[in-house]
Amino acid sequence: MTGDIVGIPWIVVLIVLPLTGGMASFLFPAISKSLGLIFALAIFTAVVGLSWQLVEQGAHRYAIGGWGASLGIDLYADGLSLLMLVTAALVGLGVSVYSGAYFSREKAKHFWPLWLFLWAALNALFLSADIFNLYVTLELLGLAAVALIALADGADALNSAMRYLLVSLLGSLFYLLGVALLYHSFGSLDIAILAQRMEPTPAVWSAVGLMSAGLLLKTALFPMHFWLPAAHACAPAPVSALLSALVVKASFYILLRLWLEVFALTDTLPGQLLGLLGATAVLWGGIQALRQTRLKLLIAYSTVVQLGYLFLAFPLGTNIAWKGAFYMLLSHAIAKAAMFMAAGNILRFCGHDRIADLDRIAQRLPLTFTAFALASVSIMGLPPSGGFIGKWLLLEASMGAGQWWWAVILILGGLLAAAYFFRVIGYAFTRAELTHDVSVVPARMEWAALALALAAILLGFISPAALELMGIGTSFGGERAG
């Protein structure tokens, strides 16, 4: 039985399942919600199967059609991609349960095909072993995300979607130009082959600059974050959760993969520059979050801060720094999805998300408030959450490398996060000056947010196992797939 499970090509199933679910939801809109939930469970099960396979056999490479690189297309799964797939499965299952009650019947028939196509693009991106296929999946991801943002009614949502579309296309163009330069220089697009042939030539440096600029634009690193707050604030709550938790992380995943495996940079200046931009994002984003009067905008600027943390690993360049940044990515994805879902519950209940008029939300929506508070614990980096583990590893790496100033940024960022989240929590206990009618929030929306918030805390307890999984493959010093 175990051999049968390990022998299934889960790496292919994880791409085919969401594609099939998206097409089925499009063809049968009347039952799209039921189909979406069924396929979400099936994808989660497939991720469990791939996890079992990698634990038993190590990193896995699959040649599509039997043609391997560089003539054909390879899919590749290791610890890095597996943890991204697990995170996408957890967030995806939570968002699917939440969305089943969030969207009206009319909106649902548009949401489910788009969401499942986006999920397929995410899974394909995490499993791609080819820099051109990474471009293709990145484009599909961006197009699906734009359409999901536009699901919200109103001119603001449309403007935000169009701005994101233009940013996404510009970032993809830069990335594609870099891909063309690398292909012209080395005659291959496969990551493993490029890693063996890479030499520090002017063409390579140009490719590094172009690809990095495009990915940084898509990741919304300061000062290229201008599109993110509006897109997150205007989108429906489950879409905001997907954007913050998964979509912006996909471009960072590509950058991390290329930086660790392809770009053999001996010059420390690019890493220091990225670290400086990350530190600025932490401080500037934290100050902007403090100034917000709307809850979703506060959470959106908090995403700018958390993305900045991820880039503090680049100037350090040590194994522990990379692991710390990646663990922060995982914990932030799950916690921020829970936070946006909690904000969606508050918006439905109150009819607004003005922080000063939350009107005793802690007593009136206790499950939602608990979800928000627990997610805040992880975002602030307090023990025993996953966010604490990531920050601790980055602190240890910065002090070990003698670059103590990054540790100062981490501490200041945590203090700013505490300031703006405790501000929200304070208003959640007080009576608002303006009373308003309230609406009922379905129980599944509250429980879905709470489940993800608890998962963000649980990440702190399972860190030894998660860190061990990161060692599968070559990214964090493990063995290469056969």
Side-chain angles (χ1 to χ4, degrees), residues 16-320:
V16 173
L17 269 179
L19 277 176
T20 305
M23 289 187 288
S25 299
F26 177 76
L27 293 174
F28 306 102
I31 56 172
S32 60
K33 181 174 74 173
S34 299
L35 288 172
L37 290 172
I38 291 170
F39 276 96
L41 285 170
I43 295 167
F44 186 86
T45 303
V47 170
V48 174
L50 180 63
S51 303
W52 192 323
Q53 189 176 61
L54 293 192
V55 170
E56 292 290 324
Q57 299 181 346
H60 181 62
R61 185 175 291 269
Y62 183 89
I64 297 178
W67 293 88
S70 60
L71 292 177
I73 297 173
D74 279 0
L75 299 176
Y76 177 70
D78 61 1
L80 191 64
S81 54
L82 174 62
L83 287 171
M84 293 301 295
L85 289 166
V86 170
T87 303
L90 283 172
V91 173
L93 187 58
V95 167
S96 297
V97 172
Y98 184 92
S99 301
Y102 182 90
F103 287 105
S104 64
R105 183 181 296 271
E106 182 65 24
K107 293 288 186 183
K109 70 180 184 181
H110 300 297
F111 170 78
W112 287 104
L114 289 170
W115 157 221
L116 288 168
F117 286 142
L118 184 144
W119 202 344
L122 277 171
N123 287 355
L125 187 149
F126 296 145
L127 293 169
S128 292
D130 181 303
I131 58 173
F132 182 74
N133 288 330
L134 287 172
Y135 161 76
V136 173
T137 55
L138 200 59
E139 278 292 86
L140 295 174
L141 181 68
L143 293 174
V146 167
L148 285 169
I149 294 170
L151 280 180
D153 296 323
D156 289 341
L158 183 58
N159 288 336
S160 298
M162 291 304 298
R163 181 185 300 177
Y164 177 65
L165 175 62
L166 294 175
V167 166
S168 179
L169 292 175
L170 181 61
S172 297
L173 177 62
F174 284 152
Y175 179 85
L176 185 59
L177 289 172
V179 170
L181 283 173
L182 290 182
Y183 183 70
H184 176 74
S185 299
F186 303 109
S188 178
L189 298 169
D190 184 75
I191 290 176
I193 295 175
L194 286 174
Q196 296 171 357
R197 299 178 181 176
M198 190 63 59
E199 297 176 357
T201 64
V204 168
W205 279 107
S206 299
V208 169
L210 287 167
M211 296 171 77
S212 298
L215 293 171
L216 293 177
L217 187 60
K218 286 176 172 286
T219 308
L221 177 65
F222 178 92
M224 293 171 280
H225 68 286
F226 55 89
W227 60 268
L228 185 145
H232 284 38
C234 294
V239 176
S240 296
L242 293 173
L243 288 174
S244 184
L246 301 176
V247 174
V248 294
K249 304 300 190 308
S251 50
F252 179 81
Y253 165 84
I254 297 175
L255 185 64
L256 182 63
R257 175 74 76 183
L258 295 178
W259 199 279
L260 289 175
E261 299 185 16
V262 179
F263 301 153
L265 300 179
T266 56
D267 191 347
T268 60
L269 181 60
Q272 294 293 330
L273 177 60
L274 290 179
L276 180 60
L277 292 177
T280 308
V282 170
L283 300 179
W284 188 89
I287 293 170
Q288 291 301 311
L290 271 173
R291 300 177 60 229
Q292 300 309 308
T293 58
R294 287 185 52 202
L295 182 58
K296 285 192 74 177
L297 271 173
L298 182 149
I299 300 171
Y301 276 105
S302 172
T303 298
V304 175
V305 175
Q306 301 300 313
L307 291 171
Y309 283 132
L310 304 181
F311 287 90
L312 298 185
F314 286 82
L316 298 170
T318 60
N319 204 34
I320 190 171

Side-chain angles (χ1 to χ4, degrees), residues 79-80 82-83 86-87 323 326-327 330 389 393 458-472 476:
L80 191 64
L82 174 62
L83 287 171
V86 170
T87 303
K323 288 188 175 183
F326 193 65
Y327 213 82
L330 302 178
I389 300 298
L393 292 173
L458 183 63
L459 268 179
F461 293 96
I462 64 170
S463 57
L467 292 171
E468 185 177 351
L469 282 178
M470 290 184 194
I472 300 176
F476 293 105

Side-chain angles (χ1 to χ4, degrees), residues 200 344 422:
F422 278 116

